[in-house]
Amino acid sequence: MTRPIIGQVESGQRRSPGAPDPERNGQQAGTAPVPGTARIAVDLLGGDQAPAVVVDGALRACQTDPALTLLLVGPVEAVGTVLAALPPDEHHRVRSLPGPYPRDTTRAAVHAVAEGLADAVVSAGDTGAIVTSAALAMGRWPGVRRPPLAAVLPSAAGRRLLLDVGSSVDPDERTLAMHAHLGSAYAASVHGVAAPRVGLLTIGTEPGKGDRLRRAAPELLAGLDLPAGARYVGLVEGDDVVSGAVADVVVTDGFSGNILLKALEMAYATIGAPGPGEPPPRAAVLLGVGGTVVVCHGAASGRDIAAGIGLAANLHRRGAIPVIAGLIQGKEIPRTQEVVHEQ
């Protein structure tokens, strides 16, 4: 299912986030959010150590951000634990949604955003379930066949964007081209990068290096009209990701991207992250769907969950997803003839 890009729908179809949907037969869909607030649906059963670490993360997020409200999707006893740890005058900031799917909290949390009950969703559950639920409930943007997960990594030169990190493990070159569009728009709108540089991750910078996909994609990437003045700068290697000197956005498949992400995160946790400032949240943003979706690691800690909630709230308050959608609106990926390479 493909729906219009947020902010690009016809005026007669547009409704504010959280406003009742007239097609839901009068079912309550919440109230429009107050500017500055953020309503985050949190999957209580997502993650290897859920719900304990999710409860911990929810509490940390509430204590850090007084304008935050949470819709906790899952067991009511876990919600009670959060309420018991908050002052009575702050209980209004936490609501419970047992959901029509008592065990499928991931799907219920995603649907809460699609139905206007929340502004964004955070889950550390199964990646495939999150991506599928979001694509079905929120719709994919035109031209996006496989929504990628984008993760922010620290580098010696500042924050860099890596995508995909686990959503599509076996894409074709056209999928990588859409990743380049989405990554460029994210780097420009969220990181404030002027004319982002986009690189393709491979095993060497000489032309023809890598597998079939890496040999076929450069010609297509080089011819793209990328948003925000972005440009394709060529092939990059793993060390270029750490230095950050070559590219602001690194595009790859979800298989190699996930391996690189986890290896770097473990290395940085052991020896320290490069670059200035605090390390970015250990979470990824699902791009190309009609809503704000943040995915945390299955092995996420309470701090990681809190950071993921903070990231979701920040993206919502900045209106990042509609801005990204607008930047890629009308960006076409040209058809290319199949390229046959000698092995």
Side-chain angles (χ1 to χ4, degrees):
M1 176 176 63
T2 300
R3 293 181 179 174
I5 289 180
I6 298 175
Q8 302 294 328
V9 297
E10 297 295 330
S11 59
Q13 299 173 317
R14 181 175 298 148
R15 62 190 180 94
S16 301
D21 185 346
E23 296 182 358
R24 294 190 58 80
N25 299 320
Q27 181 175 341
Q28 180 63 31
T31 57
V34 178
T37 64
R39 305 168 303 160
I40 311 300
V42 181
D43 176 7
L44 284 175
L45 296 184
D48 300 340
Q49 302 178 62
V53 296
V54 184
V55 168
D56 180 35
L59 284 170
R60 290 173 183 268
C62 281
Q63 293 165 352
T64 302
D65 186 349
L68 187 71
T69 63
L70 298 181
L71 179 63
L72 302 182
V73 184
V76 292
E77 56 269 24
V79 178
T81 302
V82 176
L83 291 174
L86 291 174
D89 61 349
E90 293 190 15
H91 283 191
H92 68 280
R93 299 174 56 198
V94 177
R95 293 181 295 143
S96 171
L97 181 65
Y101 317 101
R103 297 300 304 173
D104 193 357
T105 52
T106 297
R107 182 181 176 190
V110 168
H111 274 261
V113 178
E115 295 169 6
L117 295 170
D119 303 312
V121 59
V122 175
S123 175
D126 178 77
T127 299
I130 299 168
V131 174
T132 300
S133 296
L136 292 174
M138 300 175 176
R140 293 170 294 164
W141 296 344
V144 179
R145 293 185 299 159
R146 299 185 180 183
L149 285 167
V152 180
L153 289 176
S155 77
R159 297 188 173 193
R160 297 294 182 259
L161 193 69
L162 174 67
L163 71 166
D164 183 21
V165 295
S167 176
S168 54
V169 299
D170 189 23
D172 58 16
E173 51 265 38
R174 288 177 59 80
T175 300
L176 292 187
M178 179 52 70
H179 293 358
H181 280 299
L182 293 166
S184 299
Y186 188 101
S189 59
V190 178
H191 293 168
V193 179
R197 301 164 298 168
V198 180
L200 175 64
L201 183 66
T202 187
I203 59 174
T205 57
E206 304 86 355
K209 280 284 188 177
D211 57 9
R212 188 211 67 81
L213 178 62
R214 249 58 59 155
R215 296 194 299 271
E219 182 179 357
L220 178 59
L221 292 173
L224 293 177
D225 176 22
L226 294 171
R231 66 192 190 282
Y232 173 66
V233 296
L235 304 176
V236 298
E237 298 184 76
D239 57 341
D240 296 319
V241 178
V242 178
S243 72
V246 178
D248 306 295
V249 178
V250 177
V251 172
T252 189
D253 61 279
F255 183 82
S256 60
N258 189 271
I259 292 174
L260 177 61
L261 173 68
K262 290 180 179 177
L264 289 179
E265 285 183 337
M266 177 55 71
Y268 295 160
T270 304
I271 63 176
E278 291 292 323
R282 295 181 60 207
V285 182
L286 185 64
L287 299 177
V289 298
T292 303
V293 181
V294 171
V295 181
C296 296
H297 288 295
S301 66
R303 289 182 181 274
D304 293 331
I305 297 293
I309 294 172
L311 173 61
N314 181 51
L315 291 172
H316 165 68
R317 287 168 176 150
R318 299 179 62 168
I321 298 304
V323 170
I324 294 169
L327 286 173
I328 71 162
Q329 178 81 359
K331 294 293 183 180
E332 299 292 335
I333 299 175
R335 293 283 181 182
T336 57
Q337 295 181 346
E338 183 177 356
V339 180
V340 178
H341 299 275
E342 295 182 0
Q343 298 297 322

